[in-house]
Amino acid sequence: MLQHRLLMYLDQVARAGSIRKAAARLHISASAINRQILALEDELGTPLFQRLPRKMVLTAAGEVLIHHVRQSFKELEWAQVKIEELKGLRRGEVTVAMMSGLAANLIPRMASEFRRANPRVKLILRQLTNGDEIMAAVESGEADLGIGFDFDLPPTLRVLSSVTGRLGAVVAPGHPLADKTSLRISDCIAYPIIIADKSTVIRPYLNDVFAKALVSAHPVIETNSIEVMRHAAMVDQGLTFLTPFDIEFDQRAGRLIYIPVRELGQQTQQLMLIGHDRGTSAIGSVLAETVKGMMSETG
């Protein structure tokens, strides 16, 4: 790797067209600059400058190298800005757009951990209705990060982390099925079912399973709210179908139980953390690392 000082010499000579002028700008002797450039040309086995009577002109090899030099300076400047953002004074704000089911589970725990490490940063959590709204928020810059299930990303967005969650039956500890280690879909439909409606990412999976199992579900509640599904299972002895991500907090507290369902074993959802393809702020990257850790633990 070329030394930073030599890169600076090359850049200034190319800009000034003269070793003498570059030396004056850098407050160093012209002979020192010339000596280092000659040594580099000898090492590379090709001249970098045409030494004309009144001007130094880059050769083709010099043009290639100076492009690398200037790109390196840009990357170094970008890195220095990011480091300054992180050094001891983490300030500013970060916005996360999220799906509703995560609002009472993964996200609050993530927020607590992040805030303990970054007390001067304002965390803005926006619950949006569906994946399209979340992607639009990240794409437009209204949100730094987005988190939800099964995004179909445009080229402007990228997945920062993902983990697989399997749909299963969710019941309260007092439910007749609560002590089961696994179930069939036919076991579930004998009880009051709270089901996700057609606007959710969950419903197509369930429709497919019900059709293949040749059973009909007659839900007592149909909703697009994960919160309603969770609470109905807790207080009304109902059964619903969710992933471990949707009930993470309640499962830890012993209020809900997740039971694998054989026919749903292949019905997976991808919990995805997304960001803009051009990247995010330094503090946004720190938050992304916190979310990634939480996702891997829950998954």
Side-chain angles (χ1 to χ4, degrees):
M1 182 181 289
L2 297 177
Q3 294 181 357
H4 181 266
R5 184 176 297 177
L6 178 53
L7 296 181
M8 187 166 53
Y9 293 167
L10 289 169
D11 181 52
Q12 286 299 320
V13 171
R15 291 180 187 279
S18 161
I19 290 178
R20 180 180 57 78
K21 291 178 181 177
R25 292 177 184 176
L26 296 169
H27 306 289
I28 191 171
S29 70
S31 61
I33 294 177
N34 189 50
R35 189 164 53 249
Q36 293 213 38
I37 291 176
L38 289 172
L40 178 59
E41 289 177 325
D42 184 60
E43 182 181 339
L44 295 174
T46 186
L48 299 173
F49 291 94
Q50 296 180 44
R51 288 168 167 77
L52 304 178
R54 295 182 177 275
K55 193 171 184 181
M56 298 275 285
V57 178
L58 287 166
T59 62
E63 291 282 0
V64 171
L65 183 58
I66 206 66
H67 174 76
H68 163 73
V69 167
R70 289 170 182 167
Q71 190 64 33
S72 297
F73 283 152
K74 287 179 182 177
E75 291 175 0
L76 179 59
E77 183 179 353
W78 180 86
Q80 287 172 332
V81 168
K82 297 296 182 184
I83 289 169
E84 285 301 316
E85 287 183 26
L86 292 173
K87 273 170 40 180
L89 312 168
R90 289 178 174 170
R91 296 180 182 274
E93 61 184 44
V94 189
T95 300
V96 181
M98 60 189 175
M99 282 188 178
S100 63
L102 302 168
N105 291 279
L106 182 71
I107 296 297
R109 194 157 63 89
M110 172 277 295
S112 177
E113 182 171 315
F114 179 77
R115 289 283 301 126
R116 280 198 300 271
N118 305 277
R120 295 173 177 167
V121 177
K122 180 180 179 182
L123 190 55
I124 301 171
L125 304 174
R126 293 183 58 202
Q127 180 176 310
L128 299 179
T129 304
N130 55 50
D132 289 339
E133 290 185 3
I134 292 171
M135 289 187 289
V138 177
E139 193 169 24
S140 68
E142 293 178 27
D144 299 283
L145 302 169
I147 184 167
F149 292 97
D150 298 334
F151 293 120
D152 184 13
L153 296 183
T156 50
L157 302 179
R158 62 190 176 102
V159 178
L160 303 178
S161 183
S162 69
V163 63
T164 300
R166 284 176 171 78
L167 282 170
V170 170
V171 296
H175 192 279
L177 299 177
D179 60 347
K180 303 295 184 182
T181 56
S182 68
L183 295 169
R184 298 295 299 262
I185 201 71
S186 56
D187 299 324
C188 301
I189 61 170
Y191 297 91
I193 289 179
I194 303 101
I195 200 168
D197 74 13
K198 295 177 182 178
S199 69
T200 67
V201 294
I202 297 174
R203 185 60 177 268
Y205 297 110
L206 296 176
N207 287 345
D208 183 54
V209 167
F210 291 143
K212 288 179 179 177
L214 302 176
V215 298
S216 297
H218 300 286
V220 295
I221 298 175
E222 187 168 348
T223 178
N224 66 349
S225 169
I226 301 294
E227 294 299 294
V228 170
M229 295 167 73
R230 288 172 45 247
H231 283 281
M234 279 189 276
V235 303
D236 199 26
Q237 289 298 294
L239 181 149
T240 191
F241 300 101
L242 294 169
T243 70
F245 302 113
D246 299 311
I247 63 165
E248 190 251 359
F249 185 77
D250 292 312
Q251 196 169 15
R252 284 172 179 266
R255 292 192 290 262
L256 287 174
I257 295 170
Y258 170 86
I259 308 170
V261 176
R262 189 176 304 177
E263 292 90 341
L264 288 171
Q266 301 304 313
Q267 305 298 327
T268 61
Q269 288 185 280
Q270 290 294 315
L271 177 62
M272 303 165 73
L273 175 67
I274 63 170
H276 205 285
D277 187 54
R278 65 171 177 262
T280 186
S281 65
I283 198 62
S285 298
V286 172
L287 177 59
E289 290 303 315
T290 303
V291 178
K292 287 178 192 179
M294 294 287 183
M295 287 170 60
S296 62
E297 283 177 26
T298 307

